């Protein structure tokens, strides 16, 4: 039986989805509330992981081992790294990288020890479905690499470095950790991120102004995706 896991880092990223779940019950594991129920006729486990890669990985692993999800989508907001994506536009992962992973004394920057990969590929079926949903909704979107790290990127120097090193189109703090957990557990995964800021000097102003609207768009796309599969 297919069970879809949906992870957002913050309350604002999951609140709309949580309010629309049917036959919902909540279980708390390691301080994370997992809401089990249905959305748009699909069996869903929804959770707010908390911010950062460790919380995201903890949430994803629990979803897989305890709640038996068969696929995971990470829904939320991100900063843009490309002139093709602006506030309110959508980035869909073709792969995720950890831009703060660095054992470069002997390895390429971003190489994840143990699995020896830099890019963690998204599930092509889910990414294609999200692509079609965005196109049908006339939402400007791009498929590309999403970069994750335990830092809020707000300087031009770091932004340029991430783009030149990983050719990433968006930056945030959780997707690549979830992607790594899904990869080692052989669980299909993709991330959808709505742009909430320009990852520039004005990032804090942009983020506080647009994060709620961006999270609402991300939730709407997730709902459209579930509806299209029902």
């Amino acid at each position: 039986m297919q069970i879809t896991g949906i992870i957002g880092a913050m309350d604002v990223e999951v609140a709309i989805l949580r309010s629309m779940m049917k036959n919902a019950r909540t279980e708390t594991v390691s301080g994370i509330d997992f809401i089990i129920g249905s959305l748009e006729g699909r069996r869903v486990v929804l959770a707010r992981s908390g911010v950062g890669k460790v919380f995201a990985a903890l949430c994803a692993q629990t979803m897989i081992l305890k709640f038996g999800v068969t696929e995971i989508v990470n829904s939320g907001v991100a900063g843009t790294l490309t002139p093709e994506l602006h506030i309110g536009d959508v980035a869909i992962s073709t792969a995720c990288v950890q831009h703060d992973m660095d054992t470069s004394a002997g390895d390429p920057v971003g190489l994840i020890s143990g699995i020896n990969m830099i890019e963690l590929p998204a599930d092509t079926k889910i990414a294609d479905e999200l692509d079609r949903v965005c196109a049908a909704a006339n939402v400007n979107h791009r498929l590309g690499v999403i970069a994750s790290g335990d830092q809020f990127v707000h300087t031009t120097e770091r932004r340029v470095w991430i783009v030149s090193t990983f050719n990433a189109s968006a930056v945030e703090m959780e997707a690549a950790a979830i992607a790594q957990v899904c990869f080692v557990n052989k669980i299909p995964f993709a991330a959808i991120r709505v742009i909430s800021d320009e990852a520039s000097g004005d990032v804090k102003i942009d983020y506080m102004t647009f994060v709620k609207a961006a999270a609402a768009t991300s939730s709407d796309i997730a709902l459209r995706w579930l509806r299209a599969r029902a």
Side-chain angles (χ1 to χ4, degrees):
M1 181 179 293
Q2 191 171 58
I3 304 174
T4 301
I6 301 177
I7 298 175
M10 303 176 293
D11 282 329
V12 69
E13 293 172 320
V14 300
I16 293 174
L17 299 178
R18 184 173 56 225
S19 70
M20 298 182 69
M21 289 189 70
K22 306 296 184 184
N23 303 313
R25 61 183 177 87
T26 301
E27 291 189 33
T28 303
V29 181
S30 300
I32 299 173
D33 290 337
F34 295 86
I35 301 96
I36 304 98
S38 64
L39 267 174
E40 301 295 342
R42 310 286 298 189
R43 289 172 58 89
V44 168
V45 179
L46 174 71
R48 177 191 63 81
S49 64
V51 174
K53 292 194 299 179
V54 174
F55 274 131
L58 173 65
C59 183
Q61 187 73 10
T62 303
M63 273 193 174
I64 294 166
L65 294 184
K66 182 171 178 60
F67 298 105
V69 300
T70 55
E71 61 183 359
I72 293 179
V73 166
N74 180 210
S75 174
V77 303
T80 185
L81 294 175
T82 171
E84 295 181 335
L85 292 174
H86 300 283
I87 290 170
D89 295 339
V90 173
I92 300 168
S93 66
T94 55
C96 294
V97 299
Q98 297 182 28
H99 68 78
D100 59 350
M101 184 70 178
D102 189 356
T103 57
S104 58
D107 299 321
V109 175
L111 187 76
I112 300 170
S113 300
I115 58 175
N116 295 322
M117 300 174 66
I118 296 175
E119 291 193 356
L120 297 156
D123 181 76
T124 55
K125 181 177 182 291
I126 297 176
D128 288 347
E129 289 171 349
L130 291 168
D131 180 23
R132 289 195 296 271
V133 165
C134 288
N138 294 315
V139 174
N140 185 47
H141 65 287
R142 294 292 183 274
L143 284 85
V145 175
I146 294 179
S148 306
D150 284 321
Q151 55 189 237
F152 194 63
V153 173
H154 61 91
T155 66
T156 300
E157 292 78 11
R158 187 65 182 176
R159 183 179 185 271
V160 169
W161 181 85
I162 294 171
V163 173
S164 63
T165 305
F166 302 105
N167 193 31
S169 58
V171 62
E172 42 76 83
M173 299 179 69
E174 295 85 25
I178 301 170
Q180 183 176 346
V181 170
C182 289
F183 177 82
V184 299
N185 285 281
K186 297 180 172 58
I187 296 293
F189 168 78
I192 178 169
R193 292 291 186 163
V194 178
I195 302 304
S196 61
D197 62 80
E198 301 286 348
S200 65
D202 294 326
V203 63
K204 292 181 180 178
I205 295 173
D206 288 348
Y207 180 80
M208 295 305 296
T209 302
F210 297 109
V211 64
K212 289 184 179 180
T217 299
S218 181
S219 296
D220 179 64
I221 292 168
L223 287 167
R224 288 172 181 265
W225 172 65
L226 291 170
R227 194 178 305 135
R229 306 173 107 211

